Amino acid sequence: MSSRYWGIDLGGSKIEAVVVDEAMKPLIRRRIATEANEGYRHITGRIVNLLDLVSRESGFPLPKVIGMGTPGRYDAEAGALKNSNTLCLNSRNLKVDLEGLLQCTVLIENDANCFALAESLLGSGRNLMKGRDRTAFGMIIGTGVGGGIVCGDRVLHGAHGIAGEWGHNELVHDGEPCYCGKRGCVETVISGPALERYYCSLTGISRSLPEIAGLCDVDRSAEATIRRLVDNFARALASVLNILDPDCCIIGGGVGCIGRLYSQECIGRIERSLFNATLQIPLLKPQLGDSAGVFGAALLAVNS
């Protein structure tokens, strides 16, 4: 019997499950609403219900190992999920609780790590990751700013389990307060909400980031907002590139859809802060869309 691998992508609004074959082709995919407002126990129950549904519809028994992507980071030493924007998950031992309910091993990774793993091995970075020493930096810039590092075919965790978390490096000294307790973090400057706040501070008008980006040719404040994004993204990313020097960078999230992040303008800004004279690392758009998280979770099971 051929191998099958199961993955779960736990988001604030939806939970998605996939079963893939050895070639990472989906055999079945299903998603349901998270209903996070109903609390932690309700969410774990929804996960169990979804996996039962997938098992019934596919005829596949639950596996011995399931990969799972979550908002926030699971601290194995503390036995708790941390820094999740689904607040009821914080301080909960999601891994142990789900393993008790499912009677199988649950491998948990941050959603940015799952994104980086899927896009580097299956998506836009797949042709650049041939070889054991190849490295990819995948970032999600949206409501927050996160990142993950993939070396070969595995996620790099680091001594504290925070490898790739560039969103909480200081970018502006004594800048805007961040929920993490520091000030001026990358996330407080280039996340979608931060850019929308900046535009509103200039104009007194609340607009979505896609609206702002579309007004650059006719609105000086919109142009100033996107130029602020490009300048600060370039400085923040150059610090990562000077240390990691990856083979590729993949930019996900809503902010990552803004075309000027891939432009010669942005590359020139990066080169101003780069140790190397020219940027030879490709900046890639993701190819897997909202599938990246769940396929990255399934890859965790492949690598177990």
Side-chain angles (χ1 to χ4, degrees), residues 82-129:
K82 298 180 177 180
N83 297 327
S84 173
N85 54 12
T86 303
L87 299 179
C88 65
L89 298 177
N90 288 322
S91 301
R92 299 285 193 159
N93 199 330
L94 183 62
K95 174 180 171 66
V96 169
D97 291 343
L98 284 177
E99 287 179 342
L101 292 169
L102 298 169
Q103 294 299 296
C104 69
T105 299
V106 178
L107 305 174
I108 292 183
E109 281 286 1
N110 174 268
D111 51 8
N113 286 345
C114 288
F115 166 83
L117 188 63
E119 283 291 347
S120 62
L121 299 185
L122 305 174
S124 58
R126 65 188 182 278
N127 293 325
L128 299 171
M129 292 293 285

Side-chain angles (χ1 to χ4, degrees), residues 22-36:
E22 291 170 309
M24 295 303 296
K25 299 298 183 183
L27 303 174
I28 182 171
R29 287 178 69 181
R30 294 290 182 271
R31 64 171 59 180
I32 60 174
T34 307
E35 299 177 355

Side-chain angles (χ1 to χ4, degrees), residues 235-304:
R235 287 198 300 121
L237 182 59
S239 295
V240 176
L241 302 185
N242 282 337
I243 296 170
L244 184 61
D245 199 22
D247 294 283
C248 63
C249 289
I250 307 156
I251 311 171
V255 179
C257 295
I258 294 177
R260 280 170 65 177
L261 294 182
Y262 308 90
S263 67
Q264 191 57 49
E265 171 196 10
C266 186
I267 291 171
R269 296 289 195 278
I270 293 170
E271 289 173 342
R272 290 181 185 178
S273 302
L274 196 65
F275 184 67
N276 202 47
T278 59
L279 179 66
Q280 299 175 29
I281 302 165
L283 305 180
L284 305 175
K285 297 180 180 180
Q287 293 183 351
L288 300 177
D290 66 357
S291 302
V294 76
F295 280 100
L299 281 166
L300 301 176
V302 173
N303 291 332
S304 64

Side-chain angles (χ1 to χ4, degrees), residues 149-273:
I149 301 168
V150 176
C151 295
D153 63 353
R154 294 184 180 272
V155 170
L156 179 67
H157 295 106
H160 300 97
I162 58 172
E165 287 296 345
W166 72 309
H168 295 282
N169 289 338
E170 182 184 281
L171 185 58
V172 176
H173 180 66
D174 201 28
E176 185 177 325
C178 183
Y179 77 86
C180 74
K182 298 192 285 291
R183 302 181 71 95
C185 292
V186 171
E187 185 168 303
T188 69
V189 182
I190 67 169
S191 69
L195 293 163
E196 290 167 358
R197 288 194 300 271
Y198 180 76
Y199 178 83
C200 188
S201 74
L202 297 178
T203 64
I205 301 170
S206 295
R207 296 189 192 276
S208 69
L209 186 59
E211 288 179 296
I212 295 167
L215 291 172
C216 286
D217 290 339
V218 296
D219 183 337
R220 290 183 179 179
S221 297
E223 170 59 25
T225 300
I226 301 305
R227 188 169 62 248
R228 174 182 170 86
L229 164 64
V230 171
D231 289 347
N232 285 287
F233 168 80
R235 287 198 300 121
L237 182 59
S239 295
V240 176
L241 302 185
N242 282 337
I243 296 170
L244 184 61
D245 199 22
D247 294 283
C248 63
C249 289
I250 307 156
I251 311 171
V255 179
C257 295
I258 294 177
R260 280 170 65 177
L261 294 182
Y262 308 90
S263 67
Q264 191 57 49
E265 171 196 10
C266 186
I267 291 171
R269 296 289 195 278
I270 293 170
E271 289 173 342
R272 290 181 185 178
S273 302

